[in-house]
Amino acid sequence: MFGIVLGLGQAVVTRHRAAGGADMAALAAADHWAEGATAACARADGVARAQGTRLTRCVVVGDVSDVTAASGAGPFAAEVRARAGPATISTGDACSAPRRGAGNCVTGPDAAALTQPPAPAPPSAAP
């Protein structure tokens, strides 16, 4: 029983290591997309190795990266895919333009509350 629990624990750790390596590598590649796909993937490979994983696939299309990182060996091997790129909002308002570092953008029912001045406080009922 102890051996089964130990094996499951090793599998979970390997999977988490691969996921962390893939996430970090995808972010690194997306951060360096302007240097070209080769340079971005080289940066992603370095980050994946620093995380204790190996990069098995790296594709950079525009400013979006798609990578796969592997960890472990044998029955405890795991491969995880991750994507990274800029966040865009697909609504028809001023928030829809993809802007890096443009700040927060709120849409929907909460947006009106943020653009209106606060309502005056009701008069207190204290004598």
Side-chain angles (χ1 to χ4, degrees):
M1 184 59 111
F2 180 72
I4 293 171
V5 171
L6 192 62
L8 285 173
Q10 179 67 28
V12 169
V13 167
T14 301
R15 165 71 170 79
H16 283 283
R17 180 174 292 134
D23 289 342
M24 297 296 289
L27 289 169
D31 193 39
H32 294 276
W33 69 272
E35 299 169 10
T38 303
C41 287
R43 182 66 67 126
D45 185 51
V47 169
R49 289 180 191 278
Q51 295 294 319
T53 61
R54 25 185 213 287
L55 197 66
T56 60
R57 179 176 169 272
C58 179
V59 177
V60 178
V61 178
D63 54 0
V64 176
S65 66
D66 189 348
V67 303
T68 302
S71 180
F76 300 111
E79 276 195 352
V80 177
R81 180 179 173 194
R83 290 175 47 109
T88 57
I89 300 171
S90 60
T91 60
D93 61 347
C95 296
S96 63
R99 298 169 288 164
R100 290 184 183 254
N104 294 332
C105 185
V106 178
T107 60
D110 295 332
L114 293 175
T115 58
Q116 302 291 327
S124 68

